[in-house]
Amino acid sequence: MDASGNIFAIDIGGSHIKGTILNPSGEPQTEFKKLPTPSNATADAVIDVVRQLAKDMPAYDKVSVGFPGYVRNGIVYTAPNLFPTISGEIPLGQMIADMLKRPVRLVNDADQLGLGVVSGKGFELAVTLGTGFGTAVLIDGYLLPHLELAHHPISKGRDYDVYIGAKALAKAGKKKWNKRMENVLATLKTVFNYDRLYIGGGNIDKLEVPLGNNIIRFSNRDGIKGGAKLWALEDKYHITTNHPAAS
């Protein structure tokens, strides 16, 4: 396969690291491939899994990466559900660019997924229910500055990650977790007054509460198409690109 602007889109999650090749329009060119996320992950361990994912992938020109933490300019500052003992800044975008020898755009994982599923019209919010709680806020298809809403208190001093994350689901059970989700959805509506809310992530199949007409479920397979949007926005929206170091 000729690279022809193709993009290696990667979604790094708390339980799995997933990837596929997209064409510039965001259409998958390969099957969705995933590998387990290393326990007690380090940056080097995550990069090793990305290296394994890249094996046998068809040709591609550039790379998009969604990462579960606070990311700015390709640098990871916080990632409590993946790098809980992080100290200092991790230049993960540059590290992946150097390893794959391709330019890389690294953003928060919910931001990348949100880009892939929103309509691009009006004020839209995308959230992910997985190891933690991911959020992306967009206006007319453009990402607004990322907010780590997951770490804002929602109930009795507990943040969203603690209240409805994967550990909370396992401990509280599905029925109680769904009651908590009703509270979360009501809070999001009051706080954001969005035009549309998109909900995805690994635990979306556990969600059983009634959803309004402007609340849409999505799959990670749909969301990873946002990896192409990261590059399609190149001329209109500033997103840092990490280029591989000259050898």
Side-chain angles (χ1 to χ4, degrees), residues 119-158:
S119 73
K121 298 177 181 179
F123 185 44
E124 300 181 293
L125 179 66
V127 302
T128 56
L129 309 176
T131 304
F133 181 65
T135 59
V137 185
L138 304 95
I139 183 75
D140 293 334
Y142 291 94
L143 284 169
L144 297 181
H146 183 71
L147 303 174
E148 281 291 273
L149 184 64
H151 306 299
H152 191 280
I154 176 67
S155 174
K156 299 178 181 178
R158 294 171 293 183

Side-chain angles (χ1 to χ4, degrees), residues 63-214:
V63 182
S64 296
V65 185
F67 181 85
Y70 186 76
V71 178
R72 186 192 301 164
N73 300 329
I75 296 172
V76 174
Y77 289 85
T78 62
N81 292 314
L82 198 65
F83 301 155
T85 60
I86 186 173
S87 60
E89 303 166 4
I90 299 178
L92 193 63
Q94 189 61 54
M95 294 168 73
I96 294 174
D98 292 342
M99 186 268 290
L100 294 178
K101 308 300 181 187
R102 302 286 195 285
V104 170
R105 290 190 167 186
L106 175 75
V107 297
N108 174 268
D109 59 339
D111 283 348
Q112 175 169 262
L113 294 172
L115 276 173
V117 299
V118 299
S119 73
K121 298 177 181 179
F123 185 44
E124 300 181 293
L125 179 66
V127 302
T128 56
L129 309 176
T131 304
F133 181 65
T135 59
V137 185
L138 304 95
I139 183 75
D140 293 334
Y142 291 94
L143 284 169
L144 297 181
H146 183 71
L147 303 174
E148 281 291 273
L149 184 64
H151 306 299
H152 191 280
I154 176 67
S155 174
K156 299 178 181 178
R158 294 171 293 183
D159 65 17
Y160 286 80
D161 272 4
V162 173
Y163 189 58
I164 56 167
K167 289 182 179 179
L169 173 59
K171 183 176 180 179
K174 188 164 67 171
K175 183 177 180 179
K176 188 172 183 178
W177 181 81
N178 271 278
K179 291 295 291 183
R180 292 180 180 182
M181 281 303 306
E182 286 188 286
N183 180 34
V184 167
L185 292 175
T187 300
L188 293 178
K189 180 60 179 175
T190 300
V191 171
F192 290 95
N193 197 28
Y194 48 76
D195 292 311
R196 280 163 297 281
L197 169 65
Y198 300 80
I199 305 182
N203 289 325
I204 186 63
D205 59 328
K206 310 294 193 309
L207 187 65
E208 297 176 347
V209 303
L211 301 179
N213 293 333
N214 63 342

